[in-house]
Amino acid sequence: MAIPPPSTGALVVFGLIAVTVVLFVTERLPADITAIALLVTMVILQPWTQISPQEAISGFSNAATITIVAMYILSSGIEQTGIVTHLGRQVGEYTAGSRTKLLAATIGITGPIAGIINNTPVVAVFIPMVTDLADQSRISPSKLLIPLSYAAMLGGTLTLIGTATNIVASDLSADLINHPFSMFEFTPLGILILLVGAIYLMTIGQYLLPERILAADLTDEFELADYLVKVTVSQSSPLVGETIEEALSERVYDVDVLQITRGDRLFLAEETDQEIEVRDILTVRGDENAISAFAAGESLRVLRKAPVTELELAPPAGPGTLVETIIPAESSLIGQSLATARLRERYAATVLAIRRGEEIFHDHLSGPTLQEGDGFLLHATDSALELLAERGELLITEVAHTSALTEPEPLDRRAVALALSIIVGVIAVAALNLLPIVIAALGGVVAMVVTGVIRPAEAYDSVNWEVIFLLAGIIPLGLAMQETGGATFLGSIIVEYGAVFPAVVVLGLFYLLTGLLADVITPVASVVLTMPIAVDAALGIGAEPFAFVLAVTFAASTAFMTPVGYQTNLMVYSPGGYRFIDYIRVGAPLQLLLTVVTTLGIVALWGV
């Protein structure tokens, strides 16, 4: 059978898809800006794309988009009660230094929780706990953080509200085949996938995981031995009588003074106005040439046999500490440099090193453009630590020699009871079809605000607006695929050349294709692009369309093979010191395994 040629409109849409995918992969623009640019372009090219202005902005009023906004707020309400953190504290008591127990507890707790709470905040809460427990047990955090991310992703397949992708897929399924997902419709398959994934991570996976970070000492972890030194101030030094701020502002050296030691007294450079005195010992960060120039120019003597350790910079009773952080997706620091971010002025915190995956930057730190997932090692005051946690521009993953991450705060039992009751109510109302999920979720938001579980300002701050704008911009692309006949054209190609294969093989190929797309663009974009084609292909070969909808949905939630495919993968990239290849080594076998398991599971439960 000859395949009719695609329409001009379909070719235009295919071109827009190609450009969009390139921009997503290269990250020349933020993903949300790319999506909005796509939206605008589709309207400009309306004669070909068939997308009117009203259709272009329909993504903002789409039920899936509104539901996801509500779920971010509900998840934040649960998180702020401290119940997730409290559960994490119990892990330390259970594991008692055993790597197997710690890995099992990480997977066993994260997966089920991610089925009812957005998995991004779950991973954000657990990263510092897992890292801290790994240090206490002398286990490399690299052995635990990828499993943490993968378990959260797998847990998202348990319920309709487990991930934003599920909600978008449900809305598309309703439009394409008039079959939205119910709350627990695919839970049996989600349980199977979570169990298979957990067994893989506990067995084969743990042997494929690297040990990129071996040391618990943060100065060793960030390879700072050659970049931290002590210098003593001589009587002839022009620094005598000046404050640290005056000394650094009047001279051009690529160094940072971190603290002053005067006898048994310690002054933190970020907060002290003490004048430098003869015989003071200054702790300095910089490369060898910069420190040598600083010492020669200011009559300072370098103390080569006095190494600077974590304990030197973060003594248990000292005024400052070392803090490892990462830049989350919603941070305003993304796209800035350290020079424009001015962390020292804003937070009284000095950046000692920047880690991007396995690469660590020590020199000229003010130059690189900051990216999501970058890790910082900060020398900071205790007040800076509180400010960092409050503002959320940096996610704290580890704190040296402090009780800040190890002392649990008392649970507000009233808030916990209210938040859990509201979540259970939302799930029950949606599961019993008493109200649509979007209305139930919005009602839950109102209940959380009215009862004081979350304040209105916190509710707005909890939403990942990048994801929302990405959704709103990408949803009309699926509509354009349908209206121009692009989805039908691609589906007919698959029908023509896939007719030699059984339907179950075609189903598995769609799973694999969607998963590979999700690895390089975003899960939501992969669903929007692939689902209309999958449905048309299923109808063309006489298969069950809902089976293909489920394959696409589940595949998009298992983007294991890159750090950029899923946000939680990027969150653990720096704290684990991972390389890009680590995700392929551990994720590719799991993705192939789940291609088989999920495909056969769909066939067994729903037919094909």
Side-chain angles (χ1 to χ4, degrees):
M1 181 184 73
I3 299 173
S7 67
T8 303
L11 291 175
V12 170
V13 171
F14 293 157
L16 290 176
I17 290 171
V19 172
T20 302
V21 169
V22 169
L23 289 174
F24 277 147
V25 173
T26 60
E27 298 182 325
R28 295 292 298 271
L29 291 173
D32 53 334
I33 301 301
T34 295
I36 298 302
L38 172 66
L39 180 155
V40 173
T41 304
M42 284 192 292
V43 174
I44 293 173
L45 300 177
Q46 181 181 355
W48 297 278
T49 63
Q50 307 298 311
I51 296 298
S52 67
Q54 292 73 25
E55 289 171 322
I57 62 173
S58 63
F60 288 98
S61 60
N62 186 277
T65 307
I66 304 302
T67 304
I68 291 163
V69 170
M71 293 313 304
Y72 272 122
I73 297 171
L74 293 174
S75 295
S76 180
I78 290 287
E79 180 191 352
Q80 291 193 38
T81 65
I83 184 64
V84 178
T85 304
H86 185 75
L87 284 173
R89 307 293 180 190
Q90 309 308 308
V91 175
E93 298 178 9
Y94 165 74
T95 57
S98 166
R99 187 175 82 176
T100 302
K101 285 185 176 182
L102 183 52
L103 180 60
T106 298
I107 297 168
I109 293 176
T110 306
I113 290 177
I116 56 172
I117 302 177
N118 185 276
N119 50 23
T120 301
V122 171
V123 172
V125 168
F126 272 81
I127 285 174
M129 295 174 200
V130 169
T131 303
D132 195 37
L133 290 170
D135 285 347
Q136 292 174 23
S137 305
R138 309 301 297 178
I139 299 167
S140 171
S142 309
K143 287 286 190 180
L144 299 167
L145 291 177
I146 277 182
L148 170 66
S149 174
Y150 285 5
M153 293 163 66
L154 293 167
T157 65
L158 292 173
T159 67
L160 170 62
I161 62 174
T163 69
T165 308
N166 294 349
I167 296 170
V168 173
S170 176
D171 194 70
L172 282 172
S173 181
D175 289 340
L176 294 168
I177 61 173
N178 195 30
H179 187 156
F181 302 152
S182 63
M183 180 64 67
F184 301 109
E185 185 160 11
F186 47 74
T187 299
L189 182 59
I191 293 172
L192 172 65
I193 288 171
L194 178 58
L195 288 175
V196 170
I199 292 170
Y200 169 84
L201 291 171
M202 290 295 300
T203 54
I204 298 170
Q206 69 168 314
Y207 296 106
L208 296 175
L209 284 162
E211 293 189 28
R212 300 293 183 202
I213 296 175
L214 302 177
D217 188 307
L218 284 171
T219 56
D220 289 340
E221 194 175 302
F222 279 81
E223 301 174 6
L224 282 167
D226 296 329
Y227 295 88
L228 293 172
V229 301
K230 295 178 184 178
V231 298
T232 185
V233 181
S234 69
Q235 193 164 5
S236 60
S237 173
L239 298 182
V240 174
E242 295 185 351
T243 64
I244 295 295
E245 184 179 358
E246 292 168 344
L248 293 179
S249 63
E250 295 174 3
R251 296 164 176 83
V252 183
Y253 298 105
D254 188 19
V255 299
D256 290 307
V257 177
L258 305 179
Q259 57 192 25
I260 303 172
T261 304
R262 183 176 298 156
D264 58 355
R265 301 174 68 192
L266 185 67
F267 303 101
L268 213 60
E270 291 91 343
E271 64 176 2
T272 186
D273 57 0
Q274 287 281 325
E275 293 181 350
I276 297 171
E277 298 180 0
V278 177
R279 291 187 294 278
D280 278 353
I281 296 175
L282 310 181
T283 304
V284 182
R285 184 213 67 84
D287 65 29
E288 185 176 357
N289 292 334
I291 291 172
S292 296
F294 180 53
E298 307 301 330
S299 299
L300 306 170
R301 184 165 62 89
V302 179
L303 304 178
R304 299 288 182 189
K305 295 185 179 181
V308 180
T309 64
E310 179 184 286
L311 194 57
E312 296 274 350
L313 293 173
T321 189
L322 290 177
V323 188
E324 183 183 6
T325 67
I326 58 173
I327 301 179
E330 63 274 11
S331 174
S332 65
L333 299 178
I334 296 172
Q336 295 192 55
S337 67
L338 286 183
T340 57
R342 300 172 61 247
L343 294 181
R344 190 174 180 115
E345 291 83 356
R346 294 168 61 197
Y347 294 108
T350 301
V351 178
L352 305 185
I354 302 174
R355 181 163 59 201
R356 186 168 292 161
E358 64 165 337
E359 188 177 5
I360 299 177
F361 301 95
H362 300 101
D363 304 327
H364 311 296
L365 297 182
S366 60
T369 300
L370 303 178
Q371 301 177 9
E372 179 189 351
D374 281 353
F376 291 166
L377 182 63
L378 299 177
H379 188 240
T381 63
D382 291 338
S383 57
L385 194 64
E386 295 176 7
L387 195 58
L388 281 169
E390 179 183 332
R391 292 191 177 176
E393 284 192 319
L394 291 169
L395 174 65
I396 297 172
T397 57
E398 187 172 355
V399 180
H401 296 293
T402 179
S403 61
L405 293 180
T406 56
E407 289 299 324
E409 295 183 5
L411 280 178
D412 183 340
R413 297 187 182 278
R414 174 186 174 276
V416 170
L418 282 171
L420 292 178
S421 298
I422 291 167
I423 286 289
V424 170
V426 169
I427 293 173
V429 167
L432 295 172
N433 291 319
L434 299 177
L435 289 172
I437 179 64
V438 60
I439 303 302
L442 287 174
V445 169
V446 172
M448 280 201 174
V449 173
V450 169
T451 56
V453 172
I454 189 170
R455 296 194 300 270
E458 293 171 336
Y460 286 111
D461 289 342
S462 68
V463 178
N464 187 333
W465 294 106
E466 180 185 10
V467 171
I468 299 306
F469 277 86
L470 170 64
L471 285 172
I474 206 74
I475 283 174
L477 182 58
L479 188 60
M481 285 272 287
Q482 297 170 59
E483 293 192 359
T484 61
T488 301
F489 170 74
L490 293 176
S492 65
I493 293 177
I494 294 170
V495 170
E496 178 72 15
Y497 294 101
V500 296
F501 298 110
V504 66
V505 174
V506 180
L507 182 70
L509 289 175
F510 265 105
Y511 182 99
L512 194 58
L513 171 64
T514 307
L516 291 174
L517 275 176
D519 281 319
V520 294
I521 53 176
T522 66
V524 167
S526 69
V527 163
V528 171
L529 290 175
T530 312
M531 190 174 288
I533 305 168
V535 168
D536 278 332
L539 294 172
I541 63 176
E544 169 55 53
F546 186 63
F548 281 69
V549 164
L550 286 174
V552 169
T553 303
F554 274 75
S557 296
T558 52
F560 301 122
M561 297 201 323
T562 68
V564 296
Y566 208 89
Q567 187 174 343
T568 57
N569 281 351
L570 194 56
M571 291 170 68
V572 301
Y573 188 44
S574 175
Y578 293 118
R579 299 176 185 173
F580 198 97
I581 191 66
D582 295 331
Y583 290 87
I584 297 176
R585 182 186 297 117
V586 183
L590 179 57
Q591 201 151 333
L592 288 172
L593 173 64
L594 291 183
T595 298
V596 176
V597 171
T598 308
T599 301
L600 295 179
I602 291 172
V603 172
L605 292 170
W606 290 277
V608 66

